[in-house]
C-alpha cells in the first residue's frame, strides 16, 4: 500500500536538500541547478541498484524496501518537475525532462501495484550510475569526464540493459518489458551521439 506520509516526507527532504545545496555551493547557473536533485536521486538509486542486483543474483530479495525506493523515486520526479518549472525552466522541458518524468511516474505506479513487475523493474535502478557521473560532473567541473560517462553509459544502459531485457522479458512482466524496450531505444540514440562526438575525437587524437 502506498505510504502518503513517507511520500510527503521525501518531498520535504528533496526540497530542503535542493535549497541547501543551491545556497551552500552558490549555484547560480540554471544548467547546474538542474542537476542538484538528479545527483541525489541517481546516487541513492545507484547504490540501491547495486545491492538489489547482487541480492537478485544470490536469491536473497527479502526486506529490500522496494516500496520505499519507488516512493523515493516518485517524490524526486514530482519535485524535479515542480522546482524545475520555476528554477531551471529550460532544462526541465523536452524528452529528458517533462516527458521522461511523466513516463516514469506512470510506470512507477504500475510497478508499485504489480509485484511481478516490481521485482524486475528495480533491477534497472543500477543504470543510474552514468546519471550520477554526469550530474556530479556538471555541478563540479573538476570531476567532469565525458569519456567516463560514455563508457558507463555503454556498459550499463546498453549492454546490461540488453541483458536484462533478454533475460526477463515476458508477457507477464509487460510493464517492465515495455519500459525496457522504450528506454533502450533512447539509450542507443544517446550512445550513438556520444560516439559521434567523443569517440571520433578519441580516434583522431
Amino acid at each position: 500500500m502506498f505510504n502518503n506520509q513517507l511520500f510527503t516526507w521525501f518531498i520535504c527532504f528533496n526540497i530542503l536538500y535542493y535549497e541547501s545545496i543551491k545556497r551552500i555551493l552558490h549555484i547560480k547557473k540554471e544548467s547546474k541547478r538542474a542537476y542538484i536533485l538528479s545527483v541525489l536521486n541517481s546516487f541513492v538509486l545507484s547504490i540501491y541498484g547495486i545491492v538489489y542486483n547482487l541480492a537478485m543474483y544470490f536469491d536473497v530479495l527479502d526486506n529490500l524496501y522496494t516500496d520505499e525506493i519507488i516512493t523515493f523515486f516518485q517524490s524526486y520526479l514530482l519535485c524535479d518537475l515542480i522546482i524545475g518549472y520555476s528554477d531551471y525552466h529550460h532544462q526541465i522541458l523536452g524528452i529528458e525532462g517533462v516527458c521522461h518524468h511523466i513516463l516514469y511516474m506512470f510506470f512507477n505506479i504500475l510497478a508499485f501495484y504489480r509485484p511481478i513487475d516490481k521485482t524486475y523493474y528495480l533491477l534497472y535502478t543500477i543504470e543510474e550510475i552514468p546519471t550520477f557521473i554526469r550530474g556530479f560532473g556538471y555541478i563540479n567541473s573538476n570531476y567532469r569526464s565525458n569519456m567516463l560517462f560514455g563508457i558507463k553509459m555503454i556498459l550499463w544502459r546498453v549492454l546490461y540493459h540488453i541483458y536484462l531485457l533478454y533475460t526477463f522479458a515476458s508477457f507477464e512482466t509487460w510493464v517492465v518489458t515495455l519500459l525496457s524496450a522504450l528506454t533502450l531505444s533512447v539509450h542507443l540514440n544517446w550512445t550513438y551521439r556520444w560516439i559521434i562526438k567523443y569517440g571520433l575525437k578519441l580516434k583522431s587524437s
Side-chain angles (χ1 to χ4, degrees):
M1 184 176 181
F2 189 77
N3 190 328
N4 290 312
Q5 184 176 0
L6 182 64
F7 183 64
T8 303
W9 188 91
F10 279 148
I11 288 176
C12 293
F13 175 76
N14 274 284
I15 294 171
L16 178 62
Y17 162 82
Y18 175 82
E19 294 297 333
S20 299
I21 295 298
K22 185 175 70 171
R23 284 165 171 74
I24 292 171
L25 299 182
H26 306 288
I27 299 176
K28 297 180 179 180
K29 287 186 177 181
E30 181 177 305
S31 59
K32 290 189 175 183
R33 291 200 302 265
Y35 282 97
I36 295 176
L37 285 175
S38 177
V39 165
L40 172 65
N41 176 72
S42 59
F43 175 76
V44 172
L45 292 187
S46 296
I47 297 300
Y48 182 86
I50 293 170
V51 173
Y52 190 86
N53 276 264
L54 288 173
M56 170 69 85
Y57 180 79
F58 291 106
D59 196 22
V60 286
L61 285 177
D62 294 334
N63 302 319
L64 283 181
Y65 303 102
T66 55
D67 289 351
E68 288 78 5
I69 200 68
I70 293 178
T71 303
F72 174 80
F73 185 30
Q74 193 80 331
S75 70
Y76 153 73
L77 295 170
L78 181 61
C79 286
D80 203 35
L81 285 174
I82 295 173
I83 295 174
Y85 185 79
S86 61
D87 232 19
Y88 39 93
H89 184 75
H90 294 92
Q91 304 295 321
I92 201 65
L93 298 177
I95 190 171
E96 293 186 44
V98 173
C99 296
H100 170 276
H101 286 18
I102 291 176
L103 177 67
Y104 268 93
M105 289 176 77
F106 173 70
F107 278 103
N108 276 344
I109 294 171
L110 290 178
F112 191 92
Y113 292 105
R114 287 177 53 85
I116 190 169
D117 277 301
K118 186 191 303 181
T119 300
Y120 303 113
Y121 180 69
L122 292 173
L123 288 169
Y124 291 86
T125 53
I126 199 172
E127 294 183 12
E128 287 300 302
I129 292 175
T131 305
F132 174 75
I133 293 172
R134 181 177 64 172
F136 193 76
Y138 264 94
I139 292 176
N140 190 332
S141 58
N142 293 324
Y143 297 98
R144 184 171 179 175
S145 174
N146 292 316
M147 191 59 61
L148 179 61
F149 166 73
I151 292 171
K152 296 297 184 183
M153 169 70 80
I154 294 171
L155 177 63
W156 295 112
R157 293 199 169 186
V158 176
L159 298 179
Y160 193 64
H161 191 104
I162 291 173
Y163 164 75
L164 291 178
L165 180 59
Y166 175 79
T167 305
F168 300 111
S170 70
F171 180 76
E172 290 184 337
T173 59
W174 69 268
V175 170
V176 69
T177 299
L178 175 60
L179 179 62
S180 182
L182 288 173
T183 53
L184 178 59
S185 63
V186 176
H187 297 167
L188 288 172
N189 180 260
W190 285 348
T191 302
Y192 172 77
R193 286 186 293 161
W194 178 85
I195 291 173
I196 293 299
K197 187 172 183 180
Y198 296 105
L200 294 181
K201 285 184 179 180
L202 182 63
K203 184 179 179 180
S204 62
S205 63

